[in-house]
Amino acid sequence: MDLIWRPLTLDDAPAMAELVAITEKVEPTGEHYDAADLRELLSSPNVDLAGASTSAWDGEQLVASGVVIRRGSADPAHMVRLEALTHPDYRDDALGEHLVSWFAESAKRVHEKAFPGAPLDLHAAAHEDQRWFAGTLERAGFRHLRSFVDMRADLADLPPARPLPPGLEPVPYSGRHDELARLARNAVFAGHWGSAQLTPEMWRHQVSDSKDFRPDLSFLLLSPAGDEVVAFVLSSYFASDEAVTGIRELYVSDVGTRESLRGRGIASALLGYTLEKAKKQGFERSALNVDVDNAQRALGIYEGCGYRTVQTWEGYVLPVT
């Protein structure tokens, strides 16, 4: 099979959206991306399309793609993220080996530009039904080190929200909170497995300037002096999901409380407050993703807010020397 391999461009977003839809029919993950979603992903400041993306074409048909995404820090290692798509009809050992070999070489080049001398780990995720990709990673030496679950909550059947402690009043997110929220997120997730620091540029792309971010349904708790975010819930709404499912779903991307305030039920209370607000705005469901071994016992917090596990993603890692 003679495929043409070349870097991706922003103009390839519609072809990628078509490939996503094809793979979703075979391996349903519940994730639906349109061209605008993929164009935003490819426009990330952490993506070098010309030097760290690839795609395979059979004539005018996109049949595979790969993107290497650098991270904002290398502590304890630079955990480069790998994203791949492969058409079900083109999956064989040769294509899989080509893809993972390209990932390794491209990640090394990205790493040497960003964090020369630091350890390098390649991180990839496979949905529980994506067995071909998981097998491809395992044959290349990747090890399954972590499991993550997607959880959903029916907003029509929420448990009663816990009250926030006296003196802590939620405020909706606004642009003036950008840096305080970024610093709080980085502090809360420091040391979490697979997490890296978000730079101001990446924060704007991924959070505050994202087309899907919902500042009106993202809430912060501020310190008495107003100079620090002490807890937060950040949310997004993906119109492309509703276009396919017909369900208006709020995606909760980040929930966190600074260490000094943990153990007081603040995360549960703020998340419950957010879900009640979302329900009043016509949202029917909420979703999130969480590490099952999260050190702050987040799984139990989310279950207490009405979330239930619906599917699993496996995290694979390959250290590169």
Side-chain angles (χ1 to χ4, degrees):
M1 183 186 307
D2 294 325
L3 300 178
I4 302 299
W5 289 85
R6 64 163 175 80
L8 288 162
T9 71
L10 293 181
D11 291 338
D12 294 326
M16 292 183 70
E18 180 181 343
L19 183 53
V20 168
I22 290 170
T23 59
E24 183 67 13
K25 291 179 181 178
V26 177
E27 299 163 338
T29 65
E31 295 188 338
H32 310 282
Y33 297 97
D34 61 20
D37 296 328
L38 293 163
R39 194 172 290 110
E40 185 171 78
L41 170 67
L42 297 178
S43 300
S44 167
N46 283 6
V47 171
D48 173 11
L49 279 185
S53 75
T54 192
S55 59
W57 298 80
D58 185 358
E60 297 297 314
Q61 175 74 54
L62 174 65
V63 301
S65 68
V67 180
V68 170
I69 304 174
R70 65 176 173 85
R71 307 299 291 278
S73 62
D75 182 19
H78 185 200
M79 298 170 287
V80 169
R81 188 158 61 91
L82 313 178
E83 295 286 351
L85 285 171
T86 310
H87 194 295
D89 295 343
Y90 291 79
R91 295 174 181 175
D92 58 26
D93 289 348
L95 189 146
E97 290 169 4
H98 177 96
L99 199 55
V100 293
S101 177
W102 176 87
F103 273 136
E105 293 306 313
S106 298
K108 289 178 184 178
R109 292 194 297 270
V110 169
H111 176 67
E112 283 305 310
K113 290 181 180 179
F115 301 105
L120 169 62
D121 290 345
L122 308 186
H123 282 237
H127 184 271
E128 59 189 350
D129 292 334
Q130 293 176 327
R131 301 319 308 159
W132 179 82
F133 186 49
T136 297
L137 294 172
E138 290 166 356
R139 286 190 295 274
F142 283 76
R143 292 178 55 208
H144 170 226
L145 294 185
R146 213 73 167 191
S147 294
F148 303 83
V149 293
D150 286 338
M151 306 182 78
R152 290 182 184 144
D154 180 356
L155 301 191
D157 188 29
L158 290 173
R162 295 183 60 166
L164 283 161
L168 292 177
E169 294 295 330
V171 296
Y173 193 102
S174 75
R176 69 180 184 275
H177 299 127
D178 275 358
E179 186 60 7
L180 293 182
R182 184 185 73 88
L183 293 174
R185 183 268 173 202
N186 284 346
V188 167
F189 288 98
H192 281 222
W193 190 90
S195 180
Q197 299 287 287
L198 291 179
T199 63
E201 185 182 28
M202 195 61 193
W203 180 266
R204 290 190 295 271
H205 176 83
Q206 186 172 306
V207 183
S208 59
D209 290 348
S210 169
K211 66 181 181 60
D212 303 310
F213 182 53
R214 288 296 301 257
D216 59 322
L217 290 172
S218 297
F219 294 98
L220 311 174
L221 298 181
L222 302 176
S223 62
D227 59 351
E228 185 177 71
V229 170
V230 298
F232 53 86
V233 172
L234 305 177
S235 305
S236 296
Y237 160 67
F238 302 110
S240 51
D241 274 343
E242 185 176 358
V244 175
T245 66
I247 298 172
R248 191 168 181 81
E249 179 180 87
L250 187 75
Y251 185 77
V252 175
S253 59
D254 293 285
V255 179
T257 307
R258 286 190 180 269
E259 187 173 4
S260 60
L261 292 178
R262 289 177 192 157
R264 299 173 58 184
I266 290 173
S268 297
L270 189 58
L271 181 55
Y273 178 90
T274 302
L275 297 182
E276 290 290 350
K277 292 292 186 181
K279 180 178 178 180
K280 290 178 181 177
Q281 289 199 29
F283 283 85
E284 304 161 77
R285 190 169 73 188
S286 178
L288 51 77
N289 179 272
V290 62
D291 180 348
V292 298
D293 294 319
N294 180 285
Q296 272 71 56
R297 302 185 300 279
L299 194 68
I301 291 173
Y302 299 143
E303 287 174 341
C305 290
Y307 288 87
R308 297 295 179 263
T309 296
V310 293
Q311 58 189 4
T312 302
W313 295 79
E314 309 298 351
Y316 289 86
V317 179
L318 176 66
V320 176
T321 55

